[in-house]
Amino acid sequence: MDDILKLKGIDKIYGDKVKTQVLFNVDLNFEKSSFNSIIGASGSGKSTLMNIMGTLDKPTNGDVIIGGTNTISLNRDEMAELRNETIGFIFQFHYLLPEFSVLENVLMPYRIKHGRVDKETMERAKYLIDMVELTKVKNNLSTDISGGQQQRAAIARALINNPDIILADEPTGNLDSETTDTVYKLLREINDEFKSTFIVITHDKKVAEKGDRIIEITDGKISTDIRKYVR
Amino acid sequence: MKLSWEIALRFLKSSRAQTILIITIGVSVQIFIGSLIDGLQVSLVDKTIGNSSQITIVSADNKNYFENDDELLNKLYKDEELTAVSKNLDSSAFLTLDDETYPILVRGMEFEDANKIYNFDEKLTEGSIPSSNKEVMLGKDLVEDLGLNIGDKLELTTPAGSLEEVKLTGVYDLKVKAINESWVISTLTTSEEIFDKKGEISSIETQVKDVFKADETATRLEEGLSSDLVTVNWKEQNEELLSGLTAQSASSYLIQVFVLLAVLLGITSVLAISVVQKSRQIGILKAMGIKNKDASLIFLFQGLVLGIIGSILGACLGIGLNLVFSNFVTNPDGTSLVPFFLNYTFVGISILIAIIASTLSALIPAVKSSKLDPIEVIKNG
Ligand SMILES: Nc1ncnc2c1ncn2[C@@H]1O[C@H](COP(=O)(O)OP(=O)(O)OP(=O)(O)O)[C@@H](O)[C@H]1O
Ligand SMILES: [Mg+2]
């Protein structure tokens, strides 16, 4: 099967004087439409790896190849465009814009690319908002909804441009276990419906086991990589 | 672009009003001071030369008189730049009263023309303007000094030595003591007869549309005059006043420059704070793929909007202050100390400068915003 995202020999070293190497020669390929979990102890380098995958951070060495494009050859604006079109982010914190309503936040990645919103996209936004069960509060300011609702709004926002890859860094870190279950069920449903590739960081083994593949990182290296049988 | 605009407006809506206040106050101070000084200068100039000749045509050499030339006068009447043209026949003489003699200046005028300069209809405090032969009016100060009454007969001694009797019909007040004490004003015909100067005049007095171009106009007029005539304009006679006005303008510009600087610094610092306050949002937008140019535009647009709203509010406030000042700060007689004066070009330029300044001062925050790295925000929450 095609690999949508490839990491080749990724090193990450922080600091100029005191150097801390956080990632050591990481090679990873992700199949299209797969649902991947990344686990590991706190400080093992999960977030660092994810930020590099999402082109938010640059590796010290190595290549990040997204959909066939080596990101090393891109300038900042081209990188921004690639991010906008192919990657949806869901962070531990929702990072919604407080000045805008839920609906406006969901539409934001689309507007960054196209400027204005056509009817079709508006329908899609409403459909996504409906899917994450926020229809009732869609016109609320993003600060005027609960934490779980904010996280779900961020999920809808990550999906609006129909990205090939969705990167989620502990998307349920701030939520209670019941809400956590709903959110993961939702992510799985979206994976089934839109065939987007999911890479989800979690420290919860039980949650991780719901993925097709579990990658464990220990001290900046891949220590286990388990694929479940293909669905 | 449109998105940057919208985000800018949202950011502004959620920010405090202090930035607008800085611009508003700055622009209003600027317009208030500028207009006040303009008004002051206009009224000062008007008080000084509003009721006097601004360009006077006189004889070039020591001869005091020249021909009453209809052709020349018609040409002057038709001149677009001249708002008033009045010929006079003046001569010094003595007024004799109870064996005392007083030096005076008899001025013969045609009142239809002279009123356009001196406005005697309003300056008359008693009696009436001389209409028939051998009638005169005197200044308030001289009449009070000599204890004269309307209807009194006065005796004048001409330079040629002849005695002439005239009748006092009116009292004027031109608000200048030296004039009020010396000018004996009568009709041109009276003057011609008393001094035996038929067909001659001593000066042609004029007023002009643009008083500050009086010197240029005078030069132009002089080119059309015969060689025995010259012009005298108010600017060469009032150099001290003019240099005073120039100094005043310079200090007013200086004040305005400092106000502008304060506005600039104010906006820059407030927008710089707003970049810090909104850096989280900028980081999020960048993570979602907004381009650096659009991220900068957000702040430039904020500067532009702040400039437009602030300077228009400021202009209204400044004009309002001027209105209040001119209506409530008055002389004892109820006329305003500094009359309301509005130079639309000045107001327009002030608004424009404030808008440009506030947009420019948004450049620094705009650059900061474009340099912001989303990873900082994502990592540090
Ligand atoms: N700017 C930095 N300078 C130096 N070291 C850093 C910097 N950022 C992160 N690190 C270090 O890199 C390591 C990996 O950090 P990272 O955030 O990737 O961990 P993580 O696996 O996501 O942990 P957690 O589960 O707690 O989120 C940590 O030891 C951290 O201290
Ligand atoms: Mg982390």
Side-chain angles (χ1 to χ4, degrees):
Chain A
M1 222 181 181
D2 287 347
D3 289 334
I4 183 79
L5 176 65
K6 293 186 208 171
L7 302 177
K8 278 192 198 160
I10 300 290
D11 290 336
K12 180 69 183 179
I13 302 168
Y14 281 118
D16 291 326
K17 287 196 187 107
V18 187
K19 303 200 176 192
T20 354
Q21 183 153 7
V22 178
L23 294 175
F24 298 84
N25 196 25
V26 174
D27 288 311
L28 268 177
N29 294 345
F30 294 94
E31 282 172 23
K32 224 175 197 164
S33 309
S34 58
F35 197 105
N36 310 276
S37 306
I38 295 180
I39 55 171
S42 178
S44 56
K46 306 182 296 291
S47 296
T48 307
L49 184 66
M50 173 145 297
N51 289 334
I52 289 173
M53 289 194 276
T55 73
L56 291 174
D57 206 352
K58 280 205 166 103
T60 312
N61 297 303
D63 296 314
V64 179
I65 297 150
I66 298 174
T69 313
N70 192 335
T71 56
I72 226 159
S73 63
L74 303 178
N75 65 29
R76 274 169 73 132
D77 276 351
E78 288 166 338
M79 207 104 95
E81 200 170 318
L82 178 83
R83 258 203 313 274
N84 177 264
E85 286 169 1
T86 51
I87 303 171
F89 289 99
I90 307 166
F91 300 102
Q92 183 169 3
F93 306 99
H94 58 80
Y95 290 127
L96 297 171
L97 299 174
E99 294 88 355
F100 290 85
S101 73
V102 171
L103 179 62
E104 287 166 332
N105 265 288
V106 170
L107 284 166
M108 195 55 73
Y110 183 86
R111 297 205 54 196
I112 287 173
K113 174 138 176 62
H114 301 279
R116 44 201 317 253
V117 176
D118 56 21
K119 228 176 157 183
E120 209 177 302
T121 312
M122 187 55 92
E123 288 310 310
R124 179 176 163 78
K126 285 183 179 155
Y127 173 76
L128 290 172
I129 287 174
D130 198 41
M131 192 169 75
V132 296
E133 291 170 13
L134 291 177
T135 305
K136 272 192 188 154
V137 293
K138 70 173 190 295
N139 291 321
N140 285 25
L141 275 185
S142 64
T143 44
D144 296 344
I145 53 177
S146 78
Q149 288 175 325
Q150 287 171 330
Q151 203 53 298
R152 283 183 276 149
I155 293 172
R157 180 181 65 182
L159 293 171
I160 189 74
N161 279 354
N162 213 346
D164 294 334
I165 305 162
I166 289 170
L167 301 177
D169 191 350
E170 302 195 36
T172 53
N174 284 333
L175 305 178
D176 61 52
S177 60
E178 203 178 316
T179 323
T180 302
D181 281 348
T182 347
V183 168
Y184 275 101
K185 251 171 75 194
L186 188 59
L187 295 183
R188 245 4 264 238
E189 273 170 39
I190 294 162
N191 174 242
D192 284 340
E193 188 178 342
F194 296 109
K195 300 292 173 220
S196 25
T197 309
F198 275 76
I199 303 169
V200 182
I201 294 178
T202 175
H203 55 253
D204 187 338
K205 279 221 162 138
K206 247 175 63 193
V207 167
E209 273 156 17
K210 289 179 181 154
D212 305 326
R213 177 182 177 191
I214 303 169
I215 298 157
E216 185 171 6
I217 297 190
T218 314
D219 294 335
K221 292 171 195 143
I222 295 161
S223 51
T224 31
D225 187 349
I226 309 163
R227 276 168 223 249
K228 291 194 196 166
Y229 43 87
V230 180
R231 283 174 284 162
Chain B
M1 179 104 152
K2 186 164 174 285
L3 182 65
S4 303
W5 183 249
E6 233 171 81
I7 295 172
L9 291 183
R10 282 296 165 86
F11 280 5
L12 281 177
K13 242 168 90 181
S14 70
S15 67
R16 273 157 292 152
Q18 70 200 58
T19 328
I20 293 234
L21 217 62
I22 293 174
I23 306 176
T24 305
I25 291 174
V27 172
S28 66
V29 167
Q30 181 155 6
I31 287 179
F32 177 62
I33 291 180
S35 299
L36 198 69
I37 288 179
D38 271 358
L40 207 66
Q41 299 201 338
V42 167
S43 87
L44 198 63
V45 168
D46 188 57
K47 271 181 196 147
T48 316
I49 56 162
N51 284 120
S52 66
S53 176
Q54 290 156 2
I55 300 176
T56 314
I57 297 172
V58 292
S59 177
D61 37 41
N62 287 334
K63 279 197 297 175
N64 286 326
Y65 304 99
F66 56 96
E67 192 198 344
N68 183 0
D69 180 359
D70 280 339
E71 204 180 313
L72 170 64
L73 279 157
N74 280 332
K75 203 171 89 186
L76 295 174
Y77 282 133
K78 283 191 195 122
D79 197 304
E80 288 280 307
E81 181 62 25
L82 301 180
T83 54
V85 175
S86 166
K87 56 184 175 183
N88 314 289
L89 178 55
D90 304 346
S91 173
S92 53
F94 292 100
L95 175 72
T96 314
L97 190 78
D98 304 330
D99 295 336
E100 296 262 12
T101 56
Y102 302 89
I104 49 143
L105 180 72
V106 177
R107 304 206 62 195
M109 308 176 174
E110 289 184 334
F111 289 104
E112 207 180 304
D113 287 337
N115 272 340
K116 288 182 191 152
I117 298 176
Y118 298 103
N119 203 2
F120 287 118
D121 290 331
E122 275 179 24
K123 301 286 156 43
L124 204 66
T125 57
E126 253 182 278
S128 59
I129 293 173
S131 52
S132 64
N133 225 355
K134 305 273 169 99
E135 289 185 347
V136 299
M137 60 184 171
L138 261 57
K140 179 172 143 263
D141 298 74
L142 190 60
V143 168
E144 278 169 9
D145 282 356
L146 305 182
L148 298 173
N149 293 307
I150 299 288
D152 283 357
K153 300 270 193 247
L154 306 171
E155 224 161 60
L156 300 180
T157 315
T158 69
S162 64
L163 268 177
E164 301 283 344
E165 194 184 71
V166 292
K167 184 178 154 198
L168 179 63
T169 61
V171 180
Y172 66 81
D173 180 8
L174 282 176
K175 308 267 187 210
V176 180
K177 197 156 190 262
I179 291 179
N180 283 350
E181 280 179 342
S182 62
W183 286 9
V184 172
I185 298 168
S186 78
T187 62
L188 194 67
T189 334
T190 306
S191 210
E192 278 179 333
E193 278 183 21
I194 293 177
F195 300 109
D196 195 19
K197 299 271 186 214
K198 212 146 190 75
E200 285 182 285
I201 51 177
S202 55
S203 67
I204 301 172
E205 299 186 321
T206 67
Q207 285 198 338
V208 291
K209 264 188 200 147
D210 186 347
V211 293
F212 290 102
K213 282 199 186 135
D215 46 353
E216 291 167 33
T217 309
T219 314
R220 178 173 61 78
L221 289 181
E222 201 163 315
E223 278 163 11
L225 294 177
S226 62
S227 61
D228 58 338
L229 296 179
V230 290
T231 61
V232 179
N233 70 74
W234 76 271
K235 285 177 88 170
E236 50 193 24
Q237 293 171 316
N238 290 277
E239 271 172 17
E240 273 175 29
L241 172 69
L242 278 170
S243 71
L245 293 181
T246 313
Q248 203 177 40
S249 296
S251 62
S252 145
Y253 292 142
L254 206 65
I255 293 171
Q256 290 176 32
V257 166
F258 279 115
V259 170
L260 194 70
L261 269 179
V263 170
L264 246 148
L265 285 177
I267 304 167
T268 315
S269 65
V270 171
L271 280 179
I273 293 168
S274 118
V275 176
V276 176
Q277 283 172 340
K278 303 290 183 193
S279 62
R280 195 178 135 92
Q281 282 89 321
I282 298 292
I284 297 165
L285 284 164
K286 285 198 168 182
M288 289 191 294
I290 201 167
K291 302 222 168 113
N292 283 340
K293 189 194 74 180
D294 293 324
S296 312
L297 277 179
I298 293 173
F299 287 91
L300 280 189
F301 285 153
Q302 287 192 65
L304 180 68
V305 172
L306 286 174
I308 292 173
I309 299 177
S311 61
I312 289 175
L313 284 179
C316 295
L317 186 62
I319 293 169
L321 278 175
N322 267 312
L323 269 174
V324 169
F325 195 84
S326 65
N327 280 323
F328 294 101
V329 182
T330 53
N331 291 316
D333 65 356
T335 58
S336 55
L337 192 64
V338 178
F340 181 69
F341 178 81
L342 203 58
N343 181 342
Y344 290 101
T345 323
F346 169 68
V347 173
I349 288 175
S350 301
I351 291 178
L352 204 69
I353 288 178
I355 292 175
I356 293 171
S358 87
T359 311
L360 283 185
S361 60
L363 267 177
I364 298 166
V367 169
K368 266 193 192 160
S369 142
S370 86
K371 285 203 178 130
L372 195 126
D373 196 340
I375 190 74
E376 302 301 324
V377 174
I378 303 304
K379 273 178 105 170
N380 304 326

